[in-house]
């Protein structure tokens, strides 16, 4: 119990620190000098917005690097509802990717990262809807907890709390809740359950950070009255690192790869504007910190520390940072002598990092394997080297979470590498490594995090650590390192991953949706993966009683850790239509293992393990299809090709560079993936090949694209817009109920639009040639009808179809109506003559 309490306290105290990347941070002299300057600035700013990529990286970079303020970005969501340009992961898995992208962005711009429990449920057209789905009180509680914990002197909102959400309801809601929290954070009667961990805090002032796009255009913004705004000239140049503020901000912005936000750095003058909306009124508008003591004088007993740090800064030797170590160690001791307070905790971590950087002190704990199971023994190789002439000794090693202390008493002499081997015993009840916000079941609008201490922590909580207890210049200083695994890649060189705690065995049902179009049995593949050597047990596939599964159980044995084997169950569906959730479970010595291991591994972020219930959706319904051969051109990445194969189609992925009349000759239908024309520039020179394919009597189905396309993606004129229907339950009206696409081979009814997820569709065309027939109409509450969800035009002997329906979301979720509609689109082979008077313009 005591161990758990101590661990929780350490996690709580360090939770808003930047978690080091897999590659250890190694600072040069210019970066060390910047850290020394930051040690002597005791001011903080909290920037607040709704999503990853909403933050103003130029302002965060400026505040962190030029002003030297402690600067954090509070993103209310993890971006779960967006689209993914680098893979097929959506929803919570996309949220995991975007979380890591934000963490990497903060490493670039020098800020820190915080979140609330709010779930990005998708586009929202007004803040009222957003706040209702989010659960206002919980999100407000999280914002206030972040303010009380971070203790910002200044809060800056990215969005305007006075707007109705004309860009995104989440945007306005973030500003509304931030504005409301300004005074409530200092009221002990508001969320008093937090006060065992934090204290009420009154931020000095709050701003809104407008830019030209709030005014509609750069011209309108230039002409606007900005006399009430505070201006900040952020276009500074940092000669010590050879980059402008904007260039650093662009590197930060470019971390948002899943959203396609690569940014080119610029140089020269640049102005940011702030409108004060709360707090003490600025008098001369010279600084957001006007009237706020940002020196060590704000801390009782802190004045001598500030004086010493000023001396260290003035005497810093760029050629010999080691010379600053004695004074830095003295300052460290003085900070430890202070009464417990917010700045003591923050500056202790900062000065330890600075001392290590000045000494070239390299400390590392490397596991023999990248994965380990609870209760196992982990062999660690420790490395310690002091690359300075400072007096230094490694006194002991403390391994966590077992808290075993190993005495060393090794002198760390100049540039003398010390390698130490230790065994770390993992507790049998240690938690698996995974994003903590996904461990408990959430709602459409909120993630569930029961432990108040964890709320706001940006990253995965990793328990396996080593503390190097050192003595530097006679003063004891502990340095904590998370256990990593590293290896050499023949192309990329030295590669790092963190140590992950994994289940003894995990299982995966290979098809996340299985369609049963009749009562014919199917073979269902389940993969078993070993988390340790010599795993033996029984595999089961659990389904409702009216689904027949054979065999009832399959014995398995996997000799080696990491080994995999696939087994097959024969499943016979019931006679009547029915949806069911199938679960795969491995039984070992009476213990159930029901988790699927999902690995997310991209070069620009830390490798992630996500553990989800090993489930699949089984659909028994009467789906009629034909034998068309489909060529699929992948766009931003989706699971639609796999879903098409489940429907019984033969699907071939075609690279755009390969498109030719000869290549397409053997196909009946071409389907372009989501945002294909946005993301694949070569298609601009290939659309005529696709149009000729249609003209010859075939079908082309183009899924949604965003409006930023400068060439025609259809054989007739069509204007893509921002129109969308975000309410997945909005009424769908059939404009052409007798059209073939609504009747053959499947009869489409309003019931086929029930059970949709997140949204009905997006980026509908709002103007289109009279050759198109508009099939569907729907709209969100209070809006005009949107008729561009499904457009069909005969072209030559074939058909061109454009659809903004969110099939890329609905098909992987097992929405039967989406399968029926898509089957009908694919089957639209025989031309249907549409009377001209029925064409909707």
């Amino acid at each position: 119990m005591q161990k758990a309490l101590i661990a929780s306290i350490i996690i709580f105290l360090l939770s808003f620190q930047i978690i080091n990347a897999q590659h250890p941070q190694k600072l040069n002299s210019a970066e060390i000098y910047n850290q020394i300057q930051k040690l002597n600035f005791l001011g903080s700013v909290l920037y607040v917005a709704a999503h990853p990529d909403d933050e103003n990286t130029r302002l965060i970079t400026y505040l962190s690097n030029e002003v030297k303020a402690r600067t954090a970005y509070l993103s209310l969501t993890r971006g779960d509802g967006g689209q993914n340009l680098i893979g097929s992961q959506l929803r919570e898995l996309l949220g995991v990717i975007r979380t890591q992208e934000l963490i990497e962005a903060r490493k670039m711009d020098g800020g820190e990262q915080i979140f609330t429990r709010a779930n990005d449920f998708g586009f929202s057209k007004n803040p009222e809807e957003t706040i209702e789905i989010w659960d206002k009180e919980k999100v407000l509680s999280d914002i206030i907890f972040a303010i009380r914990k971070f203790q910002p002197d200044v809060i800056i909102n990215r969005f305007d709390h006075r707007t109705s959400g004309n860009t995104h309801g989440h945007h306005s809601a973030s500003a509304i809740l931030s504005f409301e929290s300004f005074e409530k954070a200092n009221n002990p009667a508001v969320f008093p359950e937090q006060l065992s961990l934090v204290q009420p805090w009154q931020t000095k002032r709050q701003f809104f950070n407008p830019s030209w796009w709030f005014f509609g255009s750069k011209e309108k913004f230039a002409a606007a009255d900005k006399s009430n705004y505070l201006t900040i000239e952020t276009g500074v140049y940092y000669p010590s690192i050879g980059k402008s503020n904007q260039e650093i901000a662009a590197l930060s912005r470019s971390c948002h790869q899943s959203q396609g936000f690569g940014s080119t750095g610029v140089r020269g003058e640049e102005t940011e504007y702030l409108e004060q909306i709360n707090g003490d009124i600025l008098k001369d508008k010279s600084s957001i910190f006007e009237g706020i003591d940002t020196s060590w004088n704000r801390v009782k007993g802190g004045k001598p520390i500030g004086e010493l740090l000023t001396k260290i800064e003035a005497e810093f030797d760029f050629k010999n940072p080691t010379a600053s170590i004695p004074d830095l160690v003295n300052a460290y001791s003085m900070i430890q002598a202070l009464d417990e307070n917010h700045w003591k905790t923050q500056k202790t971590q900062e000065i330890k990092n600075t001392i290590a950087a000045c000494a070239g002190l390299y400390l590392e704990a490397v596991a023999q394997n990248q994965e380990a199971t609870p209760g196992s023994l982990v062999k660690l190789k420790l490395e310690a080297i002091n690359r300075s002439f400072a007096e230094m000794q490694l006194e002991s090693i403390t391994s966590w979470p077992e808290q075993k202390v190993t005495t060393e008493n090794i002198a760390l002499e100049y540039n003398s590498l010390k390698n130490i081997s230790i065994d770390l015993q993992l507790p049998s009840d240690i938690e698996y490594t995974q994003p903590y916000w996904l461990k408990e079941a959430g709602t459409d609008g909120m993630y569930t995090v029961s432990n108040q201490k964890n709320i706001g922590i940006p990253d995965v909580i990793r328990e396996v650590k080593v503390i190097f207890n050192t003595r530097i210049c006679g003063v004891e200083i502990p340095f904590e390192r998370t256990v990593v695994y590293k290896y050499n890649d023949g192309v990329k060189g030295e590669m790092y991953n963190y140590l992950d705690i994994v289940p003894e065995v995990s299982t995966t049902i290979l098809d996340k949706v299985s369609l049963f179009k009749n009562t014919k049995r199917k073979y269902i593949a389940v993969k078993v993966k070993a988390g340790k050597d010599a795993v033996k047990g029984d595999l089961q596939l659990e389904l409702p009683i009216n689904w027949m599964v054979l065999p009832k159980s399959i014995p398995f044995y996997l000799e080696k850790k990491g080994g995999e084997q696939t087994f097959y169950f024969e499943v016979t569906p019931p006679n009547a239509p029915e949806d069911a959730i199938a679960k795969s479970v491995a039984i070992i010595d009476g213990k159930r293992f029901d988790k699927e291991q999902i690995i997310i591994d991209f070069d620009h972020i830390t490798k992630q393990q996500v553990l989800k219930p090993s489930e699949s959706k089984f659909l028994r319904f009467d789906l009629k299809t034909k034998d068309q051969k489909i060529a699929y051109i992948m766009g931003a990445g989706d699971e639609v090709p796999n879903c098409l194969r489940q429907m019984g189609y033969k699907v071939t992925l075609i690279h755009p560079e390969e498109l030719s009349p000869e290549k397409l000759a053997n196909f009946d239908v071409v389907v372009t993936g989501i945002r294909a024309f946005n993301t694949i520039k070569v298609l601009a020179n290939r659309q005529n090949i696709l149009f000729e394919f249609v003209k010859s009597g075939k079908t082309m189905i183009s899924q949604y694209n965003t409006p930023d396309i400068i060439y025609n993606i259809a054989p007739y004129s069509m204007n893509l817009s921002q129109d969308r229907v975000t309410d997945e339950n909005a009424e769908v009206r059939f404009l052409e109920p007798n059209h073939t696409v609504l009747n053959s081979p499947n009869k489409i009814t309003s019931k086929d639009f029930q059970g949709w997820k997140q949204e009905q569709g997006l980026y509908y065309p709002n103007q289109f040639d009279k050759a198109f027939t508009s099939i569907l109409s729907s709209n969100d509450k209070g809006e005009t009808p949107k008729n561009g969800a499904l457009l069909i035009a005969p072209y030559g002997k074939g058909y061109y179809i454009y659809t903004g329906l969110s099939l890329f979301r609905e098909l992987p979720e097992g929405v039967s109506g989406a399968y029926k509609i898509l089957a009908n689109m694919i089957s639209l082979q025989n031309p249907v003559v549409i009377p001209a008077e029925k064409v909707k313009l």
Side-chain angles (χ1 to χ4, degrees):
M1 182 69 179
Q2 185 178 7
K3 289 183 180 180
L5 177 60
I6 293 172
S8 296
I9 292 173
I10 288 178
I11 289 170
F12 177 67
L13 292 177
L14 298 180
S15 59
F16 283 170
Q17 301 296 323
I18 299 175
I19 298 176
N20 288 335
Q22 295 153 303
H23 285 81
Q25 188 180 36
K26 302 170 186 176
L27 303 182
N28 59 39
S29 290
E31 292 166 329
I32 294 172
Y33 183 70
N34 181 61
Q35 292 303 309
I36 291 173
Q37 290 180 309
K38 293 191 77 167
L39 280 170
N40 219 6
F41 190 93
L42 278 67
S44 56
V45 181
L46 184 65
Y47 199 92
V48 181
H51 311 107
D53 71 44
D54 283 344
E55 78 275 26
N56 185 340
T57 57
R58 298 178 303 279
L59 191 52
I60 290 175
T61 300
Y62 176 85
L63 292 169
S64 180
N65 295 280
E66 177 68 11
V67 179
K68 312 300 182 186
R70 187 185 181 205
T71 309
Y73 174 41
L74 173 58
S75 177
L76 269 58
T77 76
R78 297 178 183 266
D80 326 80
Q83 280 81 53
N84 184 0
L85 295 184
I86 61 173
S88 60
Q89 299 88 353
L90 293 175
R91 292 300 305 140
E92 68 272 13
L93 297 182
L94 176 59
V96 171
I97 293 172
R98 298 188 73 185
T99 291
Q100 293 301 313
E101 289 178 336
L102 267 186
I103 291 171
E104 294 302 318
R106 299 293 78 79
K107 293 171 189 173
M108 292 292 181
D109 58 37
E112 301 176 37
Q113 187 58 51
I114 313 172
F115 292 98
T116 74
R117 290 171 292 176
N119 191 337
D120 179 2
F121 56 84
F123 193 88
S124 176
K125 294 182 177 178
N126 61 76
E128 291 77 22
E129 177 198 46
T130 298
I131 289 173
E132 180 181 351
I133 295 175
W134 271 352
D135 189 330
K136 175 185 176 180
E137 286 303 297
K138 289 181 180 178
V139 180
L140 184 64
S141 168
D142 291 357
I143 296 172
I144 288 174
F145 185 61
I147 292 171
R148 289 170 172 175
K149 190 174 179 182
F150 188 77
Q151 296 186 13
D153 297 306
V154 175
I155 294 175
I156 301 175
N157 294 343
R158 185 47 168 160
F159 301 104
D160 191 347
H161 66 286
R162 297 157 294 194
T163 62
S164 60
N166 54 343
T167 60
H168 196 319
H170 296 183
H171 292 168
S172 296
S174 72
I176 291 168
L177 295 175
S178 177
F179 184 83
E180 184 175 341
S181 70
F182 183 80
E183 292 184 356
K184 288 187 174 181
N186 196 38
N187 185 346
V190 176
F191 305 118
E193 67 278 4
Q194 298 177 0
L195 300 184
S196 62
L197 300 171
V198 292
Q199 298 300 314
W201 178 256
Q202 183 57 64
T203 301
K204 191 75 168 179
R205 53 182 64 97
Q206 187 176 38
F207 298 90
F208 159 52
N209 176 210
S211 67
W212 67 264
W213 44 277
F214 287 95
F215 289 79
S217 70
K218 292 181 179 179
E219 292 74 20
K220 290 181 180 179
F221 187 49
D225 179 11
K226 296 185 281 290
S227 59
N228 289 327
Y229 292 171
L230 176 140
T231 60
I232 300 177
E233 300 304 322
T234 59
V236 299
Y237 173 68
Y238 303 109
S240 61
I241 58 175
K243 289 185 176 67
S244 69
N245 191 77
Q246 302 100 309
E247 287 172 316
I248 298 173
L251 293 173
S252 173
R253 188 72 172 167
S254 297
C255 291
H256 298 294
Q257 293 187 19
S258 66
Q259 302 302 292
F261 282 157
S263 179
T264 300
V266 298
R267 292 145 291 281
E269 296 178 349
E270 188 170 58
T271 304
E272 287 289 338
Y273 297 91
L274 297 177
E275 177 189 1
Q276 187 170 355
I277 56 175
N278 247 328
D280 293 354
I281 302 299
L282 289 172
K283 295 180 181 179
D284 60 12
K285 297 182 182 178
S286 61
S287 169
I288 60 174
F289 290 104
E290 179 185 294
I292 302 172
D293 189 350
T294 58
S295 74
W296 276 93
N297 293 336
R298 76 185 296 175
V299 176
K300 182 181 178 181
K303 183 178 179 181
I305 300 173
E307 292 172 346
L308 178 55
L309 290 171
T310 300
K311 171 179 175 290
I312 295 170
E313 179 184 343
E315 297 177 354
F316 183 75
D317 186 347
F318 283 83
K319 293 183 179 180
N320 183 27
T322 298
S324 298
I325 292 176
D327 281 340
L328 283 168
V329 171
N330 189 18
Y332 171 83
S333 297
M334 294 167 69
I335 293 172
Q336 303 319 296
L338 295 173
D339 294 336
E340 291 297 326
N341 63 71
H342 171 75
W343 285 108
K344 175 181 178 179
T345 301
Q346 173 63 24
K347 294 302 179 181
T348 291
Q349 188 62 39
E350 287 183 21
I351 199 167
K352 284 166 59 176
N353 292 340
T354 306
I355 291 169
C358 285
L361 178 60
Y362 187 85
L363 303 169
E364 186 176 70
V366 179
Q368 192 176 54
N369 298 291
Q370 199 260 315
E371 296 181 344
T373 54
S376 63
L377 190 70
V378 177
K379 292 187 176 297
L380 299 180
K381 180 182 178 181
L382 311 183
E383 179 179 330
I385 185 169
N386 167 27
R387 290 170 285 186
S388 75
F389 290 102
E391 178 190 348
M392 194 177 304
Q393 181 165 312
L394 177 61
E395 296 192 328
S396 64
I397 301 291
T398 305
S399 51
W400 283 76
E402 62 177 348
Q403 294 193 61
K404 177 184 175 182
V405 178
T406 305
T407 302
E408 297 295 340
N409 290 327
I410 299 173
L412 297 179
E413 299 169 340
Y414 171 72
N415 211 30
S416 177
L417 177 63
K418 305 298 181 184
N419 286 318
I420 303 166
S421 296
I422 67 171
D423 292 338
L424 189 155
Q425 180 65 53
L426 296 178
S428 59
D429 60 350
I430 190 172
E431 293 193 355
Y432 301 133
T433 304
Q434 63 173 317
Y436 69 90
W437 60 94
L438 298 180
K439 290 181 181 179
E440 303 174 77
T443 66
D444 288 342
M446 297 295 296
Y447 285 118
T448 300
V449 181
S450 300
N451 190 339
Q452 178 71 49
K453 294 183 181 72
N454 294 343
I455 293 174
I457 295 175
D459 206 351
V460 172
I461 299 171
R462 298 180 184 274
E463 299 180 60
V464 187
K465 305 173 184 291
V466 168
I467 298 175
F468 293 81
N469 301 300
T470 67
R471 183 175 293 274
I472 303 176
C473 299
V475 176
E476 294 182 6
I477 304 178
F479 293 94
E480 180 183 290
R481 296 291 183 267
T482 303
V483 173
V484 298
Y485 167 75
K486 68 178 182 180
Y487 61 97
N488 185 71
D489 182 278
V491 175
K492 301 174 184 177
E494 187 178 54
M495 300 294 293
Y496 280 78
N497 288 315
Y498 287 114
L499 172 70
D500 284 337
I501 309 303
V502 304
E504 294 178 26
V505 64
S506 58
T507 69
T508 303
I509 304 175
L510 295 186
D511 290 320
K512 296 309 171 190
V513 175
S514 287
L515 301 185
F516 293 81
K517 297 187 288 184
N518 47 46
T519 58
K520 185 179 179 180
R521 66 187 180 185
K522 292 182 69 172
Y523 287 93
I524 303 300
V526 181
K527 183 178 69 177
V528 181
K529 180 181 178 181
K532 66 176 186 178
D533 291 341
V535 173
K536 181 181 181 181
D538 293 291
L539 179 66
Q540 298 176 359
L541 184 65
E542 298 180 345
L543 275 162
I545 193 169
N546 49 337
W547 292 71
M548 183 180 297
V549 181
L550 293 175
K552 298 295 183 183
S553 180
I554 301 175
F556 66 86
Y557 175 76
L558 298 174
E559 183 178 359
K560 293 295 183 181
K561 177 179 181 177
E564 298 178 348
Q565 188 172 353
T566 300
F567 300 91
Y568 294 87
F569 291 90
E570 182 184 284
V571 175
T572 304
N575 292 325
E578 180 181 316
D579 295 355
I581 299 297
K583 300 179 180 181
S584 60
V585 180
I587 309 294
I588 301 177
D589 297 328
K591 183 178 179 180
R592 289 171 57 92
F593 292 87
D594 59 357
K595 293 292 188 289
E596 173 186 5
Q597 182 192 52
I598 300 170
I599 300 297
I600 299 175
D601 194 7
F602 294 98
D603 287 343
H604 69 298
I605 60 174
T606 298
K607 180 181 178 182
Q608 299 291 296
Q609 171 182 263
V610 179
L611 298 174
K612 296 177 63 177
S614 183
E615 297 179 347
S616 173
K617 190 169 185 180
F618 284 15
L619 304 178
R620 163 68 182 97
F621 70 106
D622 296 325
L623 177 68
K624 299 179 179 64
T625 59
K626 298 181 182 178
D627 296 326
Q628 291 90 350
K629 295 179 181 179
I630 299 174
Y632 198 95
I633 302 172
M634 189 69 74
D638 57 57
E639 294 291 343
V640 174
N642 293 333
C643 298
L644 288 168
R645 293 185 182 102
Q646 274 290 325
M647 297 167 73
Y649 295 114
K650 294 179 180 178
V651 182
T652 302
L653 296 182
I654 300 291
H655 295 289
E657 295 81 2
E658 301 174 346
L659 280 177
S660 67
E662 295 75 21
K663 187 74 172 180
L664 297 180
N666 293 325
F667 294 99
D668 304 299
V669 180
V670 168
V671 181
T672 60
I674 58 174
R675 299 179 71 169
F677 290 94
N678 299 117
T679 59
I680 306 173
K681 301 307 179 185
V682 72
L683 282 179
N685 301 317
R686 298 290 194 276
Q687 75 267 43
N688 287 335
I689 296 174
L690 296 172
F691 298 160
E692 287 300 315
F693 172 82
V694 177
K695 199 172 184 180
S696 69
K698 308 296 182 65
T699 300
M700 176 179 173
I701 301 172
S702 181
Q703 297 181 78
Y704 95 91
N705 289 267
T706 57
D708 51 331
I709 302 174
I710 60 175
Y711 56 91
N712 291 332
I713 65 173
Y716 306 108
S717 62
M718 179 178 67
N719 181 66
L720 300 180
S721 74
Q722 298 289 337
D723 287 353
R724 62 175 75 205
V725 178
T726 62
D727 182 1
E728 62 270 29
N729 299 312
E731 177 192 5
V732 177
R733 300 173 291 275
F734 295 165
L735 299 177
E736 298 291 342
N738 295 324
H739 196 284
T740 304
V741 79
L742 295 177
N743 293 279
S744 178
N746 302 283
K747 178 67 176 178
I748 306 300
T749 71
S750 59
K751 290 183 179 180
D752 291 308
F753 289 91
Q754 295 176 3
W756 283 48
K757 307 295 182 182
Q758 185 166 319
E759 61 201 352
Q760 275 188 10
L762 60 171
Y763 298 109
Y764 294 168
N766 60 359
Q767 295 178 340
F768 37 87
D769 190 273
K770 63 181 182 180
F772 283 105
T773 297
S774 179
I775 304 298
L776 305 173
S777 177
S778 64
N779 54 272
D780 287 320
K781 184 178 180 181
E783 293 191 354
T784 58
K786 304 294 184 289
N787 299 337
L790 179 57
L791 303 177
I792 300 176
Y795 184 68
K797 298 179 181 179
Y799 277 96
Y800 176 89
I801 302 174
Y802 183 89
T803 180
L805 292 172
S806 61
L807 300 176
F808 72 104
R809 294 194 189 279
E810 313 312 324
L811 297 172
E813 290 286 345
V815 177
S816 58
Y819 282 92
K820 292 171 65 177
I821 293 166
L822 182 56
N824 283 14
M825 292 185 208
I826 293 170
S827 298
L828 193 64
Q829 292 288 309
N830 299 318
V832 177
V833 178
I834 309 295
E837 63 271 15
K838 290 188 177 182
V839 175
K840 302 297 185 290
L841 299 178

